[in-house]
Amino acid sequence: MRRPQLDIQLKTPEQIEKMRGAGLVVAAALDAMRDAVAPGVSTADLDAIAEKIIRDAGAVPSFKGYHGFPASICASVNEQVVHGIPGTGQILAEGDLISLDCGAILEGWHGDSAITVGVGETDPALLKMAEVAEDAMWAGIAAAARGAANGRGRLTDISFNVEKTVRKAGRYGIVDGYGGHGIGTEMHQDPHVLNHGKPGKGPRLEPGLCLAIEPMITMGSPRTHELSDGWTVVTRDGSFAAHVEHTMCLLADGVWVTTAVDGGRARLGDLVSARQPRT
């Protein structure tokens, strides 16, 4: 089913089950990459790990070939915010901060998720920034679940709660121009989900709506620019950045974070659908 205007695709519970399958593939790939991150490892090594897990599961990497993107993951190091291209020449060093963004297609349905992790001994302030980004993501997901449950939720309730969480935590930059998105039979669908804004605006939050929520924050200015490779987005002031993401779907009785192994229950409690996560 599609809603007019923004062409928002609403999914049935059965279709969300299929998205769960793709989400678990992405979760497995991210877990393996998290374990492999260490000084001396190249971002190409991480890409190879993710692609093998995705293909061994019978899925296809969402990113590879997408508008010409050459890899299965985005690996964004330090001042790189998003869309970093993995390479054999990019070797991780002690103290680096890396964001790993991964997507998979299984039976025609997409999962999309990202994590930010430190390499070896990392400045606690950088790890705190990554934690703040994660807290903001979960605050946005929780707002979506509450808004769908009470019937009064609007899209920008997510944006507002992401921003509020970041602002309360410290003086971080919230990257503008990039954000979350609808997801389903395509990786990027309507609507675009900003990481800042006033609440109570935009499409209604209702069962069947599936979104990728992805805060991107920096240690300094929120201003960015794209490198000459046509993909990599970096901070203008060279400050380090964090990017996290989960795919979430709204059901009649709650939210299901399809890229979280527990469906989101550890962070969201009773806001999670009673539908048992498939593991």
Side-chain angles (χ1 to χ4, degrees):
M1 182 191 305
R2 290 181 183 267
R3 287 287 186 259
Q5 299 173 345
L6 283 179
D7 195 23
I8 295 173
Q9 182 190 74
L10 298 179
K11 287 78 174 175
T12 66
E14 293 73 25
Q15 290 169 334
I16 292 172
E17 283 274 3
K18 292 184 177 181
M19 291 184 66
R20 172 63 168 171
L24 288 174
V25 172
V26 171
L30 286 171
D31 283 346
M33 287 189 286
R34 186 196 297 272
D35 290 343
V37 166
V41 173
S42 76
T43 53
D45 294 334
L46 299 174
D47 183 69
I49 289 169
E51 181 163 1
K52 184 177 189 306
I53 289 173
I54 291 168
R55 294 196 185 278
D56 284 353
V60 176
S62 303
F63 299 175
K64 198 162 192 177
Y66 182 75
H67 295 295
F69 191 77
S72 296
I73 65 166
C74 296
S76 305
V77 182
N78 297 339
E79 77 281 1
Q80 299 173 353
V81 182
V82 286
H83 305 160
I85 301 173
T88 56
Q90 188 172 46
I91 309 298
L92 297 179
E94 193 89 11
D96 282 346
L97 192 71
I98 182 170
S99 298
L100 298 164
D101 192 356
C102 182
I105 312 167
L106 185 64
E107 297 180 11
W109 294 90
H110 287 254
D112 192 4
S113 185
I115 58 175
T116 294
V117 296
V119 181
E121 291 294 324
T122 309
D123 184 344
L126 297 177
L127 298 179
K128 175 64 176 177
M129 175 178 61
E131 182 182 329
V132 168
E134 187 141 341
D135 288 345
M137 173 186 67
W138 285 109
I141 295 171
R146 291 192 300 267
N150 63 33
R152 299 190 298 273
R154 295 282 187 171
L155 183 71
T156 63
D157 297 347
I158 299 172
S159 311
F160 174 77
N161 279 276
V162 168
E163 180 179 12
K164 181 173 71 171
T165 302
V166 174
R167 299 295 185 214
K168 281 186 174 181
R171 296 177 62 84
Y172 300 102
I174 299 177
V175 175
D176 197 11
Y178 299 89
H181 50 88
I183 184 170
T185 51
E186 299 88 29
M187 180 165 57
H188 294 117
Q189 297 180 330
D190 286 340
H192 182 61
V193 187
L194 292 171
N195 289 314
H196 57 85
K198 295 181 178 179
K201 300 182 182 299
R204 291 190 179 278
L205 299 171
E206 58 183 311
L209 181 64
C210 295
L211 303 169
I213 309 301
E214 49 179 323
M216 302 163 211
I217 64 176
T218 74
M219 291 292 288
S221 168
R223 299 185 65 194
T224 62
H225 71 275
E226 187 177 272
L227 297 184
S228 59
D229 63 16
W231 286 102
T232 309
V233 177
V234 301
T235 58
R236 284 188 177 271
D237 62 3
S239 62
F240 281 25
H243 167 219
V244 296
E245 178 182 19
H246 263 313
T247 297
M248 52 139 275
C249 295
L250 297 173
L251 290 127
D253 66 343
V255 66
W256 197 357
V257 184
T258 59
T259 47
V261 172
D262 69 348
R265 194 166 297 281
R267 293 296 299 252
L268 301 174
D270 291 341
L271 291 175
V272 173
S273 167
R275 182 181 291 265
Q276 289 299 306
R278 180 157 54 89
T279 58

